[in-house]
Amino acid sequence: MAERRKLIAGNWKMNGLKADGLELASDLAGRLKGAGAVAFDMLVCPPFPLLFPVGEAIADSPLALGGQDCAAKLSGAHTGDISPQMLKDAGCGFVILGHSERRQDHGETDAVVKAKAEAAIGQGLVAIVCVGETEAQREAGQADAVVGAQVAGSLPAGANAATVVIAYEPVWAIGTGKTATPADVAAMHGFIRAELAKVLGDADKVRILYGGSVKPGNAAELMATADVDGALVGGASLKADDFWAIGTSCR
Ligand code: PGA
């Protein structure tokens, strides 16, 4: 089995003003520096206005920086959009794309996510592509079909383990306190890897994160689940102690 280093990614969503964001990121950066060798990579994805100050505050630490979305274009007349080039300029190495909140609130389709991923990868960013079924789709037995179609439709040609991370986030588990069972997570992650193998040469090296109500109390079990290569964490990434505990639960 390919060695896949765990990635613990914090999605701050629309939370955090400058002072809080700087404190949180600096705290995590300090813990990472002080910890020496750890079994995980750690990433924070603050709101856009905080990228530059947070990027500067953590520049000399192993803590990575990412955006929560980006445009499919690099510059031009696109009011309100942020380009992948701008993320790179702010010190980002990653960008979350196709989060279910973007798919729901902004009507992002697989084709849109794919175009954004292509642009992001072209700027040297790693695209964290989010997929996941709704509760109704799971109850109707459609979870595999929905997620399989999202994976196939959202990945640009030529993507590989160095340029793409997948985040499986069942929509019904996000911010609800409900998590998928480890057995369901293992089954879905195995299915996603098999789908990836149809389109990528190095599917066994691609990191597949689980997201949806990951907390310190359930992290160790989820992170030890087959084919789980890290976590995309929302609520619990806003508290340094909780987010750090999720990281250190990785073995
Ligand atoms: P949550 O969010 O951890 O608050 O459930 C996860 C996500 O949406 O990325």
Side-chain angles (χ1 to χ4, degrees):
M1 196 183 79
E3 225 3 82
R4 295 183 300 265
R5 190 169 159 82
K6 296 256 192 313
L7 174 63
I8 303 300
N11 175 11
W12 293 5
K13 307 193 179 183
M14 199 171 71
N15 295 295
L17 300 179
K18 191 173 170 189
D20 303 333
L22 278 175
E23 190 181 323
L24 174 55
S26 305
D27 184 334
L28 293 167
R31 293 188 202 215
L32 265 184
K33 277 207 282 193
V38 288
F40 57 91
D41 296 330
M42 188 166 257
L43 163 69
V44 289
C45 301
F48 289 134
L50 299 189
L51 287 176
F52 269 100
V54 167
E56 277 162 20
I58 66 176
D60 67 340
S61 85
L63 183 60
L65 186 69
Q68 298 175 15
D69 177 44
C70 72
K73 301 264 170 46
L74 299 189
S75 64
H78 303 287
T79 302
D81 285 344
I82 305 285
S83 89
Q85 209 171 29
M86 293 169 181
L87 296 186
K88 193 76 188 168
D89 196 33
C92 292
F94 294 80
V95 59
I96 299 170
L97 293 173
H99 189 281
S100 60
E101 289 152 16
R102 302 280 326 163
R103 291 177 187 263
Q104 273 166 14
D105 301 352
H106 300 273
E108 291 193 7
T109 60
D110 291 338
V112 167
V113 177
K114 182 178 180 173
K116 290 182 172 193
E118 196 163 356
I121 292 167
Q123 292 306 302
L125 296 167
V126 175
I128 302 178
V129 174
C130 303
V131 296
E133 81 286 356
T134 64
E135 190 152 38
Q137 288 165 335
R138 173 158 287 266
E139 278 167 5
Q142 296 167 346
D144 284 5
V146 167
V147 170
Q150 288 174 333
V151 169
S154 305
L155 290 185
N160 59 43
T163 56
V164 157
V165 171
I166 303 291
Y168 168 57
E169 300 202 303
V171 177
W172 49 269
I174 295 176
T176 58
K178 293 187 207 171
T179 42
T181 64
D184 283 346
V185 173
M188 182 57 86
H189 282 222
F191 169 75
I192 291 171
R193 199 172 300 287
E195 292 299 295
L196 289 173
K198 294 179 187 168
V199 287
L200 309 184
D202 58 356
D204 61 329
K205 296 203 183 76
V206 175
R207 294 196 276 194
I208 305 178
L209 315 183
Y210 170 77
S213 298
V214 178
K215 308 279 177 218
N218 60 23
E221 189 178 26
L222 284 164
M223 293 306 104
T225 298
D227 277 309
V228 173
D229 309 310
L232 182 55
V233 186
S237 75
L238 297 172
K239 293 196 190 113
D241 285 345
D242 286 359
F243 194 50
W244 186 252
I246 292 169
T248 55
S249 74
C250 296
R251 295 282 166 260

CSV table of all heavy atoms in Angstrom, one decimal, residues 94-139:
chain,number,residue,atom,x,y,z
A,94,PHE,N,-2.7,25.5,-1.2
A,94,PHE,CA,-3.9,24.7,-1.4
A,94,PHE,C,-5.1,25.5,-1.7
A,94,PHE,O,-5.1,26.7,-1.3
A,94,PHE,CB,-4.2,23.8,-0.1
A,94,PHE,CG,-3.2,22.8,0.2
A,94,PHE,CD1,-2.0,23.2,0.9
A,94,PHE,CD2,-3.4,21.5,-0.1
A,94,PHE,CE1,-1.1,22.2,1.2
A,94,PHE,CE2,-2.5,20.5,0.3
A,94,PHE,CZ,-1.3,20.9,0.9
A,95,VAL,N,-6.2,25.0,-2.3
A,95,VAL,CA,-7.4,25.6,-2.3
A,95,VAL,C,-8.5,24.6,-2.3
A,95,VAL,O,-8.5,23.5,-2.9
A,95,VAL,CB,-7.6,26.5,-3.6
A,95,VAL,CG1,-7.4,25.7,-4.9
A,95,VAL,CG2,-8.9,27.2,-3.6
A,96,ILE,N,-9.5,24.8,-1.4
A,96,ILE,CA,-10.7,23.9,-1.3
A,96,ILE,C,-11.6,24.3,-2.5
A,96,ILE,O,-11.9,25.5,-2.7
A,96,ILE,CB,-11.5,24.2,0.0
A,96,ILE,CG1,-10.6,23.9,1.2
A,96,ILE,CG2,-12.7,23.3,0.1
A,96,ILE,CD1,-11.2,24.3,2.5
A,97,LEU,N,-12.1,23.3,-3.2
A,97,LEU,CA,-13.0,23.6,-4.4
A,97,LEU,C,-14.2,22.7,-4.3
A,97,LEU,O,-14.1,21.5,-3.9
A,97,LEU,CB,-12.2,23.4,-5.7
A,97,LEU,CG,-11.1,24.4,-6.0
A,97,LEU,CD1,-10.3,24.0,-7.2
A,97,LEU,CD2,-11.7,25.8,-6.1
A,98,GLY,N,-15.3,23.2,-4.7
A,98,GLY,CA,-16.6,22.4,-4.8
A,98,GLY,C,-17.1,21.9,-3.5
A,98,GLY,O,-17.8,20.9,-3.4
A,99,HIS,N,-16.8,22.7,-2.4
A,99,HIS,CA,-17.4,22.4,-1.1
A,99,HIS,C,-19.0,22.4,-1.3
A,99,HIS,O,-19.5,23.2,-2.1
A,99,HIS,CB,-17.0,23.4,-0.1
A,99,HIS,CG,-17.4,23.1,1.3
A,99,HIS,ND1,-18.7,23.2,1.8
A,99,HIS,CD2,-16.7,22.5,2.3
A,99,HIS,CE1,-18.8,22.8,3.0
A,99,HIS,NE2,-17.6,22.3,3.4
A,100,SER,N,-19.6,21.6,-0.5
A,100,SER,CA,-21.1,21.5,-0.7
A,100,SER,C,-21.8,22.8,-0.5
A,100,SER,O,-22.8,23.1,-1.1
A,100,SER,CB,-21.7,20.4,0.2
A,100,SER,OG,-21.5,20.7,1.5
A,101,GLU,N,-21.2,23.6,0.4
A,101,GLU,CA,-21.8,25.0,0.6
A,101,GLU,C,-21.7,25.8,-0.7
A,101,GLU,O,-22.5,26.7,-0.9
A,101,GLU,CB,-21.2,25.6,1.8
A,101,GLU,CG,-21.7,24.9,3.1
A,101,GLU,CD,-20.8,25.0,4.3
A,101,GLU,OE1,-19.8,25.8,4.3
A,101,GLU,OE2,-21.0,24.2,5.2
A,102,ARG,N,-20.6,25.7,-1.4
A,102,ARG,CA,-20.4,26.4,-2.7
A,102,ARG,C,-21.4,25.8,-3.7
A,102,ARG,O,-22.0,26.5,-4.5
A,102,ARG,CB,-19.0,26.3,-3.2
A,102,ARG,CG,-17.9,26.8,-2.3
A,102,ARG,CD,-17.7,28.3,-2.3
A,102,ARG,NE,-17.9,29.0,-3.5
A,102,ARG,CZ,-18.1,30.3,-3.6
A,102,ARG,NH1,-18.1,31.0,-2.4
A,102,ARG,NH2,-18.3,30.9,-4.7
A,103,ARG,N,-21.5,24.5,-3.7
A,103,ARG,CA,-22.4,23.8,-4.7
A,103,ARG,C,-23.8,24.2,-4.4
A,103,ARG,O,-24.5,24.5,-5.4
A,103,ARG,CB,-22.2,22.3,-4.6
A,103,ARG,CG,-20.8,21.7,-5.1
A,103,ARG,CD,-20.7,20.2,-5.0
A,103,ARG,NE,-19.4,19.7,-5.3
A,103,ARG,CZ,-19.1,19.1,-6.5
A,103,ARG,NH1,-19.9,19.1,-7.5
A,103,ARG,NH2,-17.9,18.6,-6.6
A,104,GLN,N,-24.2,24.3,-3.1
A,104,GLN,CA,-25.6,24.7,-2.8
A,104,GLN,C,-25.8,26.2,-2.9
A,104,GLN,O,-26.7,26.6,-3.6
A,104,GLN,CB,-25.9,24.3,-1.3
A,104,GLN,CG,-26.4,22.9,-1.2
A,104,GLN,CD,-26.4,22.5,0.3
A,104,GLN,OE1,-26.2,23.3,1.2
A,104,GLN,NE2,-26.5,21.2,0.5
A,105,ASP,N,-25.0,27.0,-2.3
A,105,ASP,CA,-25.2,28.5,-2.2
A,105,ASP,C,-24.9,29.2,-3.5
A,105,ASP,O,-25.4,30.3,-3.8
A,105,ASP,CB,-24.4,29.1,-1.1
A,105,ASP,CG,-24.7,28.5,0.3
A,105,ASP,OD1,-25.6,27.7,0.4
A,105,ASP,OD2,-23.9,28.8,1.2
A,106,HIS,N,-24.0,28.6,-4.3
A,106,HIS,CA,-23.5,29.3,-5.5
A,106,HIS,C,-23.7,28.5,-6.8
A,106,HIS,O,-23.2,28.9,-7.8
A,106,HIS,CB,-22.1,29.8,-5.4
A,106,HIS,CG,-21.8,30.7,-4.2
A,106,HIS,ND1,-22.0,32.0,-4.2
A,106,HIS,CD2,-21.5,30.4,-2.9
A,106,HIS,CE1,-21.7,32.5,-3.0
A,106,HIS,NE2,-21.5,31.6,-2.2
A,107,GLY,N,-24.5,27.5,-6.7
A,107,GLY,CA,-24.8,26.7,-7.8
A,107,GLY,C,-23.6,26.1,-8.6
A,107,GLY,O,-23.7,25.9,-9.8
A,108,GLU,N,-22.6,25.8,-7.9
A,108,GLU,CA,-21.4,25.3,-8.6
A,108,GLU,C,-21.6,23.8,-9.0
A,108,GLU,O,-22.0,23.0,-8.3
A,108,GLU,CB,-20.2,25.3,-7.7
A,108,GLU,CG,-19.7,26.8,-7.4
A,108,GLU,CD,-18.3,26.9,-6.8
A,108,GLU,OE1,-17.6,25.9,-6.6
A,108,GLU,OE2,-18.0,28.0,-6.4
A,109,THR,N,-21.4,23.6,-10.3
A,109,THR,CA,-21.6,22.3,-10.9
A,109,THR,C,-20.2,21.6,-10.9
A,109,THR,O,-19.2,22.2,-10.7
A,109,THR,CB,-22.1,22.4,-12.3
A,109,THR,OG1,-21.1,23.2,-13.1
A,109,THR,CG2,-23.5,23.1,-12.4
A,110,ASP,N,-20.3,20.3,-11.3
A,110,ASP,CA,-19.0,19.6,-11.5
A,110,ASP,C,-18.1,20.3,-12.5
A,110,ASP,O,-16.9,20.4,-12.4
A,110,ASP,CB,-19.3,18.1,-11.9
A,110,ASP,CG,-19.9,17.3,-10.8
A,110,ASP,OD1,-19.8,17.7,-9.6
A,110,ASP,OD2,-20.5,16.3,-11.1
A,111,ALA,N,-18.8,20.8,-13.6
A,111,ALA,CA,-18.0,21.4,-14.7
A,111,ALA,C,-17.3,22.7,-14.2
A,111,ALA,O,-16.1,22.9,-14.5
A,111,ALA,CB,-18.9,21.7,-15.8
A,112,VAL,N,-18.0,23.4,-13.3
A,112,VAL,CA,-17.4,24.6,-12.7
A,112,VAL,C,-16.2,24.2,-11.8
A,112,VAL,O,-15.1,24.8,-11.9
A,112,VAL,CB,-18.4,25.4,-11.9
A,112,VAL,CG1,-17.8,26.5,-11.1
A,112,VAL,CG2,-19.5,26.1,-12.9
A,113,VAL,N,-16.4,23.2,-11.0
A,113,VAL,CA,-15.4,22.8,-10.1
A,113,VAL,C,-14.1,22.3,-10.9
A,113,VAL,O,-13.0,22.6,-10.5
A,113,VAL,CB,-15.9,21.7,-9.1
A,113,VAL,CG1,-14.8,21.2,-8.2
A,113,VAL,CG2,-17.1,22.2,-8.3
A,114,LYS,N,-14.4,21.6,-11.9
A,114,LYS,CA,-13.3,21.1,-12.8
A,114,LYS,C,-12.5,22.3,-13.4
A,114,LYS,O,-11.3,22.3,-13.4
A,114,LYS,CB,-13.9,20.3,-13.9
A,114,LYS,CG,-12.9,19.6,-14.8
A,114,LYS,CD,-13.7,18.8,-15.8
A,114,LYS,CE,-12.8,18.1,-16.8
A,114,LYS,NZ,-13.5,17.2,-17.7
A,115,ALA,N,-13.2,23.3,-13.9
A,115,ALA,CA,-12.5,24.4,-14.5
A,115,ALA,C,-11.7,25.2,-13.4
A,115,ALA,O,-10.6,25.6,-13.7
A,115,ALA,CB,-13.5,25.4,-15.1
A,116,LYS,N,-12.2,25.3,-12.2
A,116,LYS,CA,-11.5,26.0,-11.1
A,116,LYS,C,-10.3,25.1,-10.8
A,116,LYS,O,-9.2,25.7,-10.5
A,116,LYS,CB,-12.4,26.1,-9.9
A,116,LYS,CG,-13.5,27.2,-10.1
A,116,LYS,CD,-14.4,27.4,-8.9
A,116,LYS,CE,-15.3,28.5,-9.1
A,116,LYS,NZ,-15.9,29.0,-7.9
A,117,ALA,N,-10.4,23.8,-10.7
A,117,ALA,CA,-9.3,22.9,-10.3
A,117,ALA,C,-8.2,23.0,-11.4
A,117,ALA,O,-7.0,23.1,-11.0
A,117,ALA,CB,-9.8,21.5,-10.2
A,118,GLU,N,-8.6,23.1,-12.6
A,118,GLU,CA,-7.6,23.2,-13.7
A,118,GLU,C,-6.8,24.5,-13.5
A,118,GLU,O,-5.6,24.5,-13.6
A,118,GLU,CB,-8.3,23.2,-15.0
A,118,GLU,CG,-7.4,22.9,-16.2
A,118,GLU,CD,-8.2,22.4,-17.4
A,118,GLU,OE1,-9.4,22.3,-17.3
A,118,GLU,OE2,-7.6,22.3,-18.4
A,119,ALA,N,-7.5,25.6,-13.3
A,119,ALA,CA,-6.8,26.9,-13.1
A,119,ALA,C,-5.9,26.9,-11.9
A,119,ALA,O,-4.8,27.4,-11.9
A,119,ALA,CB,-7.9,28.0,-13.0
A,120,ALA,N,-6.4,26.3,-10.8
A,120,ALA,CA,-5.7,26.3,-9.5
A,120,ALA,C,-4.4,25.5,-9.7
A,120,ALA,O,-3.3,25.9,-9.3
A,120,ALA,CB,-6.5,25.7,-8.4
A,121,ILE,N,-4.5,24.3,-10.3
A,121,ILE,CA,-3.4,23.4,-10.5
A,121,ILE,C,-2.4,24.1,-11.4
A,121,ILE,O,-1.2,24.0,-11.2
A,121,ILE,CB,-3.8,22.0,-11.1
A,121,ILE,CG1,-4.7,21.3,-10.0
A,121,ILE,CG2,-2.6,21.2,-11.5
A,121,ILE,CD1,-5.4,20.1,-10.5
A,122,GLY,N,-2.9,24.8,-12.4
A,122,GLY,CA,-2.0,25.5,-13.3
A,122,GLY,C,-1.1,26.6,-12.6
A,122,GLY,O,-0.1,27.0,-13.1
A,123,GLN,N,-1.6,27.1,-11.5
A,123,GLN,CA,-0.9,28.1,-10.7
A,123,GLN,C,0.0,27.4,-9.6
A,123,GLN,O,0.5,28.1,-8.7
A,123,GLN,CB,-1.8,29.1,-10.1
A,123,GLN,CG,-2.5,30.0,-11.1
A,123,GLN,CD,-1.5,30.7,-12.0
A,123,GLN,OE1,-0.6,31.4,-11.5
A,123,GLN,NE2,-1.6,30.5,-13.3
A,124,GLY,N,0.0,26.1,-9.6
A,124,GLY,CA,0.8,25.4,-8.6
A,124,GLY,C,0.2,25.1,-7.3
A,124,GLY,O,0.8,24.8,-6.3
A,125,LEU,N,-1.2,25.3,-7.3
A,125,LEU,CA,-1.9,25.0,-6.0
A,125,LEU,C,-2.4,23.5,-6.0
A,125,LEU,O,-2.6,23.0,-7.1
A,125,LEU,CB,-3.1,25.9,-5.9
A,125,LEU,CG,-2.9,27.4,-5.8
A,125,LEU,CD1,-4.2,28.1,-6.0
A,125,LEU,CD2,-2.3,27.7,-4.4
A,126,VAL,N,-2.5,23.0,-4.9
A,126,VAL,CA,-3.1,21.6,-4.7
A,126,VAL,C,-4.6,21.9,-4.6
A,126,VAL,O,-5.0,22.6,-3.7
A,126,VAL,CB,-2.6,20.9,-3.5
A,126,VAL,CG1,-3.3,19.6,-3.3
A,126,VAL,CG2,-1.1,20.6,-3.7
A,127,ALA,N,-5.4,21.2,-5.4
A,127,ALA,CA,-6.9,21.4,-5.4
A,127,ALA,C,-7.5,20.3,-4.5
A,127,ALA,O,-7.3,19.1,-4.7
A,127,ALA,CB,-7.5,21.3,-6.8
A,128,ILE,N,-8.2,20.8,-3.4
A,128,ILE,CA,-8.9,19.9,-2.5
A,128,ILE,C,-10.3,19.8,-3.0
A,128,ILE,O,-11.1,20.7,-2.8
A,128,ILE,CB,-8.8,20.3,-1.1
A,128,ILE,CG1,-7.4,20.4,-0.6
A,128,ILE,CG2,-9.6,19.3,-0.2
A,128,ILE,CD1,-7.3,20.9,0.9
A,129,VAL,N,-10.6,18.8,-3.8
A,129,VAL,CA,-12.0,18.7,-4.4
A,129,VAL,C,-12.9,18.0,-3.5
A,129,VAL,O,-12.7,16.8,-3.1
A,129,VAL,CB,-11.8,18.0,-5.8
A,129,VAL,CG1,-13.2,17.7,-6.4
A,129,VAL,CG2,-10.9,18.8,-6.7
A,130,CYS,N,-14.0,18.6,-3.2
A,130,CYS,CA,-15.0,18.1,-2.2
A,130,CYS,C,-16.1,17.4,-3.0
A,130,CYS,O,-16.7,17.9,-4.0
A,130,CYS,CB,-15.6,19.2,-1.4
A,130,CYS,SG,-14.4,20.1,-0.4
A,131,VAL,N,-16.5,16.2,-2.4
A,131,VAL,CA,-17.6,15.5,-3.0
A,131,VAL,C,-18.4,15.0,-1.8
A,131,VAL,O,-18.0,14.9,-0.7
A,131,VAL,CB,-17.1,14.3,-3.8
A,131,VAL,CG1,-16.4,14.8,-5.1
A,131,VAL,CG2,-16.3,13.3,-3.0
A,132,GLY,N,-19.7,14.6,-2.0
A,132,GLY,CA,-20.5,14.0,-1.0
A,132,GLY,C,-22.0,14.0,-1.3
A,132,GLY,O,-22.4,14.9,-2.0
A,133,GLU,N,-22.7,13.1,-0.8
A,133,GLU,CA,-24.1,12.9,-1.1
A,133,GLU,C,-25.0,13.6,0.0
A,133,GLU,O,-24.5,13.7,1.1
A,133,GLU,CB,-24.5,11.4,-1.2
A,133,GLU,CG,-24.7,10.7,0.1
A,133,GLU,CD,-23.4,10.4,0.9
A,133,GLU,OE1,-22.3,10.7,0.4
A,133,GLU,OE2,-23.5,9.9,2.0
A,134,THR,N,-26.2,13.9,-0.3
A,134,THR,CA,-27.1,14.4,0.7
A,134,THR,C,-27.8,13.2,1.4
A,134,THR,O,-27.6,12.1,1.0
A,134,THR,CB,-28.3,15.2,0.0
A,134,THR,OG1,-29.0,14.3,-0.8
A,134,THR,CG2,-27.8,16.4,-0.8
A,135,GLU,N,-28.5,13.6,2.5
A,135,GLU,CA,-29.1,12.5,3.3
A,135,GLU,C,-30.2,11.8,2.4
A,135,GLU,O,-30.3,10.5,2.4
A,135,GLU,CB,-29.8,13.1,4.5
A,135,GLU,CG,-30.3,12.1,5.5
A,135,GLU,CD,-30.3,12.6,6.9
A,135,GLU,OE1,-30.7,13.8,7.1
A,135,GLU,OE2,-30.0,11.8,7.8
A,136,ALA,N,-30.9,12.5,1.6
A,136,ALA,CA,-32.0,11.9,0.8
A,136,ALA,C,-31.3,11.0,-0.3
A,136,ALA,O,-31.9,9.9,-0.5
A,136,ALA,CB,-32.8,13.0,0.1
A,137,GLN,N,-30.2,11.4,-0.8
A,137,GLN,CA,-29.5,10.6,-1.8
A,137,GLN,C,-29.0,9.3,-1.2
A,137,GLN,O,-29.1,8.2,-1.7
A,137,GLN,CB,-28.4,11.3,-2.5
A,137,GLN,CG,-28.9,12.4,-3.4
A,137,GLN,CD,-27.8,13.5,-3.8
A,137,GLN,OE1,-26.9,13.7,-3.1
A,137,GLN,NE2,-28.0,14.1,-4.9
A,138,ARG,N,-28.5,9.4,0.1
A,138,ARG,CA,-28.0,8.2,0.7
A,138,ARG,C,-29.2,7.3,1.0
A,138,ARG,O,-29.1,6.1,0.8
A,138,ARG,CB,-27.2,8.5,2.0
A,138,ARG,CG,-26.9,7.3,2.9
A,138,ARG,CD,-25.7,7.6,3.8
A,138,ARG,NE,-24.4,7.6,3.2
A,138,ARG,CZ,-23.6,6.6,3.0
A,138,ARG,NH1,-23.9,5.4,3.4
A,138,ARG,NH2,-22.4,6.8,2.4
A,139,GLU,N,-30.3,7.8,1.5
A,139,GLU,CA,-31.4,7.0,1.9
A,139,GLU,C,-32.0,6.3,0.6
A,139,GLU,O,-32.5,5.2,0.7
A,139,GLU,CB,-32.5,7.8,2.6
A,139,GLU,CG,-32.2,7.9,4.1
A,139,GLU,CD,-33.0,9.0,4.8
A,139,GLU,OE1,-33.9,9.6,4.2
A,139,GLU,OE2,-32.7,9.2,6.0
